[in-house]
Each structure stands twice: as structure tokens, then as C-alpha cells.
Amino acid sequence: MNSIMFMHLAFIYSLVVVLVAAVSAQSALPQRVAVIPVGGIDQVTGLVGEDYILRCEQTLRPTADDPAPDLRWSFETVAITDGGKYEINLKKNESAKYFMSALTIKNSELSDDGDYRCDGLGGGTTISLELSLVDSTAPTVVICPTNIFRTLKRGDPPFLMISWSPPFAIDVNPPVTSSTTHQPNSVFSIGTTTVTYTFLDRFQNAAFCRFNVTVLEGTMNSSVSCQNPASVTTLPGNSVGEVTITIPTCQDSEDGPFPASCDSSETVFYPIGSTPVTCTCSDNGLASARCVITVTVSDDELPVVSYCPTSFTVDIPGGASDGTANWDIPTATDNSGGMVDVTVIPNISPPIDISVGRVVYVQYFFTDPSQNAAQCQFQIRGVIGGSSSNIVYYIIPVVVVVMLVFVGIVIFICRR
């Protein structure tokens, strides 16, 4: 029993929180205010559409001139009379000391949200109640269309005009506004499109109606096959090759043979590598059969080398152990327009030190994206002095040998 009483008290307390009561007392008489919603789904939050009972209860001592108290109700300073959407009941309890006036608001609307007053007779108690109503329920959608499927017929353009009966919505708090992504009799292309209707009540509670409109391609009894052309090489000094393809023929059971529609014309310049060309048999945009021609262009042209040095010697002054060799670094370009990789053997770069009698063989290799390689090679020799010193360097031993031979001959003759 105690738990039941506790639940009742908690229920009444929650409702009093929703309906804020501002009390201004004009007498010291005791008073009690209760606001109780009746019926509806949610009796706590104060939803529109429910019935509400406002109770005004106070202690009054009847007098000879006024044997019964007179409790009067008003809404926003306008007097409320019994009848219509309002019902007023005046009761007294068993002890005849407390009198209560119950004001019932039937099927409440937003316009019932406001200030209610209960005034006692002749300087009695004035009670002010602020009724707050909330609408948290979305509108109810009526007759939302199901998904729509349509198939294009042979010879139709690749779209259809499609219609449907538009949905609508009802709400306890009218009016309901609506918007949509598509109107009936809109044009839809091949594929699936989602149509969305949105319905909003005055509290911006939203309800939705969604359905799909699907347009399917028509069918054709066509077939086609593609033949790949022979591979070609690039034109000299260019990054493209000239290729002629054979446009395939579509075989159709109804229309007979007709040429396919391809991504490119018969003779076209194609870049290095493999290029797919799609050919399609279609009727008014309704694809039925496709095939792919693969065009292959290869590059067998070597990179072009520039500034390749010739072999040279480095003059090393007498008494020095080594000298410095320097040269212009060669470069290369390629008809493909792509990057050319450079490899140097040995892995050196100018300037370098070189000693007398040392010979360095230098090779530059230039490789294009198709792995075609060109090279530049030369040698560097370290020698003593300039060109005249080199001649002396080689002639002196010869002269010495000749003189020794000559002296030997003279001695031999003299002894005879």
C-alpha cells in the first residue's frame, strides 16, 4: 500500500513540474493546487491532444450572505464558462471545510498553452497556473508508395517519365508542411533513384516517406567480336605510333548487321604502351554488346646522347704525383618524352685526381622507359708535362740506345 501511495505522489509531482505554478496569495487561507492530465499516451510530459484537469482547492468559511464559496476560472484574463471544451465542477469534501473547483480542458491544443487563474470570492485566494504543452510526436504518413520498377522498351530514349500518387501526413498539431526531392511525372534515367518526402509539424517533428524508382535497360539480341591490330613502333623521333583498327560489325537478330560504335576512329595516333578501345552495339543508348580492341605501340628507339667527351690526357707537371681531370657531363633525351635513367661506370663525377701513367675508362649508360640503352664512353690518361715533354720522354731512350750502338761499332772497327 505504501508503494502505491508513493507512486501516486511521484506521478503528481512530475506533472506539477511540467505545469509551473506561480501563486500570489491575497489572504492567509490555506491553498493547494494540482494539475492532472487525463488519458493520452504520455501523462507526464504534457502532450497536446490530451485532456487536462486543473484543480483549485482552498479553505473558506461560509457566511450568512455567502453560504458557499465561488471559485472562478479565467484564461489569459478572459473568464471561462462551463460548456464547450471546458467543464467546471465545484465540490466540497466531507468535512465541509475545503472547497475544490475542477476545470477540465478537453482535447488540448497548442492554443491552450498559457496562464490559468482561479479566483476566490470576495478577497479569497488567487491561484495562477502556467500550463505547458509539448508535442514530440512525428506526423503519421498515409499511403507511402512502394518501390517502382520500369523497363525501357526497344527504341525508347534512355529515360522515362514516371508518376505516382503523392503521400500525405496527419498530425495532432496541424498544419503539416511537406517537401520532396521529386514530383510525380518526373523524368528518371537508367538506374535507381531514391525519392524522399519530408513532413514537418509546427514543432518540427519530422516524418519521412522514401521509395526507389528503378529504370532498367531494354534488351537487344546483338553480338560483336573485336580483332586486335598488329603491334607497331613509334614514329621516328615521336612518342606515338600510327595504328589502323578494324571497326567490328554488330550482328543483330532484328536489325541485321551494323557497324559498332568505338571510342576512336579507324586510324589514330596512339601513345607508347597498350590502349583499350571499347566498341559497343547499341540502339538509342541501350547497350547490348561490347568488345575491346587492345592497341599496342612499342618504342625501340635509343636515347640521343649529347656532349659525350672524347678520350683525353691530363698533363702532370714534373715532380708532381698526380693531376686533376675534368670534363663536361654528357646528357641524353628520348623520343618517349619520359625520364632517362643514367648509370656511370665507375661511379665517379668530375673533377677527379689522376696519377702519371694511370688510365681511367669512363662509361655513361642512358636507359629510357622501354629499356632502350645508349652509351657514351671515353678514357682519361695521366702523362708527364705537356705534349713536347712527352716526345722527349719517349725519344731520349731511343737516342741513348742508338748512340751506344754507334760507339760499339766504332770501337769494333778501330780494333781491327
Side-chain angles (χ1 to χ4, degrees):
M1 179 65 70
N2 290 335
S3 61
I4 296 175
M5 293 179 63
F6 177 79
M7 292 175 61
H8 281 290
L9 291 174
F11 173 70
I12 294 175
Y13 176 78
S14 300
L15 297 174
V16 172
V17 171
V18 175
L19 302 167
V20 181
V23 180
S24 63
Q26 296 180 357
S27 69
L29 297 177
Q31 57 194 26
R32 186 167 70 246
V33 179
V35 181
I36 304 176
V38 178
I41 298 175
D42 189 343
Q43 298 182 351
V44 177
T45 57
L47 300 178
V48 296
E50 297 178 347
D51 291 348
Y52 286 87
I53 297 177
L54 310 184
R55 293 181 179 178
C56 176
E57 199 172 283
Q58 57 186 306
T59 300
L60 294 176
R61 297 179 179 178
T63 62
D65 298 331
D66 188 11
D70 185 8
L71 300 178
R72 300 174 183 176
W73 290 92
S74 63
F75 173 63
E76 302 292 348
T77 70
V78 179
I80 297 176
T81 58
D82 189 17
K85 71 176 301 175
Y86 296 111
E87 181 179 323
I88 300 176
N89 292 303
L90 181 64
K91 298 179 180 180
K92 67 178 181 178
N93 65 358
E94 296 178 355
S95 63
K97 293 181 180 180
Y98 293 95
F99 292 84
M100 180 190 70
S101 178
L103 171 65
T104 301
I105 305 172
K106 302 177 182 179
N107 191 24
S108 62
E109 301 175 357
L110 282 181
S111 57
D112 298 321
D113 190 305
D115 184 40
Y116 290 83
R117 293 171 59 86
C118 175
D119 295 309
L121 175 68
T125 299
T126 298
I127 300 173
S128 178
L129 298 174
E130 184 69 24
L131 177 60
S132 298
L133 299 176
V134 178
D135 180 6
S136 61
T137 303
T140 300
V141 179
V142 180
I143 313 178
C144 183
T146 58
N147 293 334
I148 300 173
F149 296 88
R150 297 288 186 271
T151 301
L152 291 168
K153 297 180 180 179
R154 181 174 174 79
D156 286 343
F159 55 84
L160 283 177
M161 180 181 293
I162 298 177
S163 184
W164 59 86
S165 297
F168 62 94
I170 57 176
D171 190 74
V172 296
N173 180 29
V176 176
T177 60
S178 65
S179 61
T180 181
T181 57
H182 300 78
Q183 295 290 347
N185 295 319
S186 294
V187 174
F188 293 85
S189 301
I190 295 173
T192 298
T193 304
T194 299
V195 178
T196 302
Y197 280 82
T198 303
F199 301 94
L200 297 174
D201 64 13
R202 293 173 60 186
F203 276 92
Q204 300 302 300
N205 299 307
F208 302 93
C209 164
R210 295 185 177 93
F211 58 94
N212 293 330
V213 176
T214 302
V215 178
L216 303 173
E217 293 187 19
T219 58
M220 292 176 57
N221 297 319
S222 296
S223 62
V224 65
S225 61
C226 292
Q227 181 179 2
N228 294 331
S231 298
V232 300
T233 58
T234 55
L235 298 174
N238 287 274
S239 61
V240 296
E242 185 177 12
V243 181
T244 299
I245 64 173
T246 301
I247 302 297
T249 299
C250 301
Q251 302 296 332
D252 187 76
S253 58
E254 296 184 16
D255 293 341
F258 58 92
S261 175
C262 299
D263 292 343
S264 64
S265 56
E266 294 184 58
T267 302
V268 175
F269 294 104
Y270 290 91
I272 297 171
S274 296
T275 303
V277 178
T278 301
C279 297
T280 305
C281 300
S282 61
D283 181 15
N284 292 333
L286 307 180
S288 173
R290 294 184 177 90
C291 67
V292 177
I293 299 173
T294 301
V295 177
T296 303
V297 176
S298 61
D299 174 23
D300 59 5
E301 191 171 337
L302 301 180
V304 178
V305 179
S306 301
Y307 311 113
C308 181
T310 58
S311 298
F312 63 95
T313 60
V314 177
D315 296 333
I316 302 172
S321 60
D322 55 29
T324 300
N326 205 347
W327 65 91
D328 292 331
I329 297 177
T331 61
T333 58
D334 191 66
N335 63 304
S336 67
M339 182 177 295
V340 178
D341 293 329
V342 182
T343 304
V344 184
I345 300 175
N347 187 16
I348 59 175
S349 60
I352 64 171
D353 294 332
I354 188 168
S355 59
V356 176
R358 180 189 175 192
V359 178
V360 179
Y361 294 93
V362 183
Q363 293 178 298
Y364 283 81
F365 293 93
F366 302 92
T367 307
D368 67 12
S370 297
Q371 301 304 306
N372 299 307
Q375 63 177 329
C376 162
Q377 58 185 1
F378 55 95
Q379 67 179 19
I380 308 170
R381 181 187 299 271
V383 297
I384 296 178
S387 58
S388 59
S389 298
N390 292 338
I391 295 173
V392 173
Y393 179 78
Y394 289 108
I395 290 178
I396 289 176
V398 175
V399 171
V400 171
V401 172
V402 171
M403 289 180 66
L404 289 175
V405 172
F406 177 77
V407 171
I409 294 173
V410 171
I411 293 173
F412 177 77
I413 294 173
C414 291
R415 286 181 178 180
R416 293 188 64 183

